[in-house]
Amino acid sequence: MALGKDYLGQDCSLSRALELLGERWTLLVVQNALYGVRRFSDFQVRLDIPRAVLSDRLSRLTGAGVLEKRLYQPSPPRHEYLLTDSGVELWPVIFSLGMWGRRHIGGESARLFRHADCGAKLLPSTDCSECGPIAPGDVEMYPGPGPKRDDPVSRAMNRPRRLLEPVVPEPS
Amino acid sequence: MALGKDYLGQDCSLSRALELLGERWTLLVVQNALYGVRRFSDFQVRLDIPRAVLSDRLSRLTGAGVLEKRLYQPSPPRHEYLLTDSGVELWPVIFSLGMWGRRHIGGESARLFRHADCGAKLLPSTDCSECGPIAPGDVEMYPGPGPKRDDPVSRAMNRPRRLLEPVVPEPS
DNA sequence: CTCCTAGGTTCGTTCAATGAACTCAAAAGA
DNA sequence: TCTTTTGAGTTCATTGAACGAACCTAGGAG
């Protein structure tokens, strides 16, 4: 399948996540699920999405364990799609992308978010497990155990380095 | 443009962000830019992406102010693509999606991340500006000033409510 | 007996992704 | 001087996914 949804040859978990979530409509389906939408026809009404595409996305997400399809009424048989724990963990993705759109593309938001306990506003962030929130410039990348691409650019990237530090490939 | 990259009729900033970032390859281009890749041919080598698509993605990202195209050498004229501040702010998106892929899709990571100052590991999170990191279940959504869709499901969603709370549309 | 609803599937049309080939300008090599 | 290489693209025919309108099915409801 040369054309389409796979990113064969990519060596990062982002590309693997995008093979599932990077298709058109998929993240909006997950977003609506986080917002409480559960039924086929409710997704369809909210999203104005072709039924065939919605059907495909729901079954792919179900197959990947992001959603769970459950019978909520035996007769007539009716189903709902619930987020699994793995699906709920997509919240930081949905939230950070939405916040970025609000800050950098503009338009007014139809929905805002706050901490239910105290009412204060929310921010997407990357936290150090010891020090709390940190900036991208304080992130260091280093090689993990996984397979790596073997080209000059990737080799130059496989030394421990700060985020944003320019890659300087050695001429082969 | 009925087919393609627009999500016309969607009312959230996520859909606006996805019109730019949701196309195939776009987030992987941003990822590589965060990792330090700057030149057309270096992106091409890393990504195995058709040149025409890479050209399109780079100019769309440049047009949207995520990247900046800069001459770094006058003769022969050579350009590089640098992330703007707005582009750097996509780091939480890239990181949270990558972490999700690592946790839930699996495979070994080619690259890992740590806090440069202390070496501890990083976590994607949603922080309350007052209380620190919070769980999705503690997020409350409430209507903002932006335009809203007018269908039974969207109307039911426009009351203040917790994330994940089931939407129960009133029969029209 | 007919209509309606939830939850899909089928199918012809359209448009974006693909990859191979081509372009162009400057520099380096022979 | 002629040829090749390199960076950075553009052009073009092919393919497969998204679109949307129509169709299907099973179980109530009127």
Side-chain angles (χ1 to χ4, degrees), chain A residues 10-24:
Chain A
Q10 286 305 300
D11 56 2
C12 59
S13 31
L14 176 61
S15 60
R16 289 191 291 271
L18 286 174
E19 285 179 21
L20 172 66
L21 302 169
E23 291 174 288
R24 191 159 159 67

Side-chain angles (χ1 to χ4, degrees), chain B residues 1 3 24-25 50 53 57 75-77:
Chain B
M1 199 184 297
L3 185 77
R24 192 158 161 66
W25 295 112
V53 177
R57 296 305 183 268
S75 175

Side-chain angles (χ1 to χ4, degrees), chain A residues 14-71:
Chain A
L14 176 61
S15 60
R16 289 191 291 271
L18 286 174
E19 285 179 21
L20 172 66
L21 302 169
E23 291 174 288
R24 191 159 159 67
W25 296 112
T26 306
L27 279 179
L28 291 175
V29 169
V30 173
Q31 177 197 35
N32 277 275
L34 278 163
Y35 290 179
V37 177
R38 298 182 165 194
R39 288 152 60 162
F40 188 95
S41 53
D42 289 351
F43 283 107
Q44 217 262 312
V45 164
R46 276 278 304 161
L47 291 172
D48 278 332
I49 177 180
R51 302 167 106 67
V53 177
L54 178 57
S55 178
D56 175 78
R57 297 302 183 270
L58 289 172
S59 47
R60 276 175 60 79
L61 287 170
T62 304
V66 172
L67 296 176
E68 192 195 337
K69 185 177 187 173
R70 215 181 54 175
L71 199 71

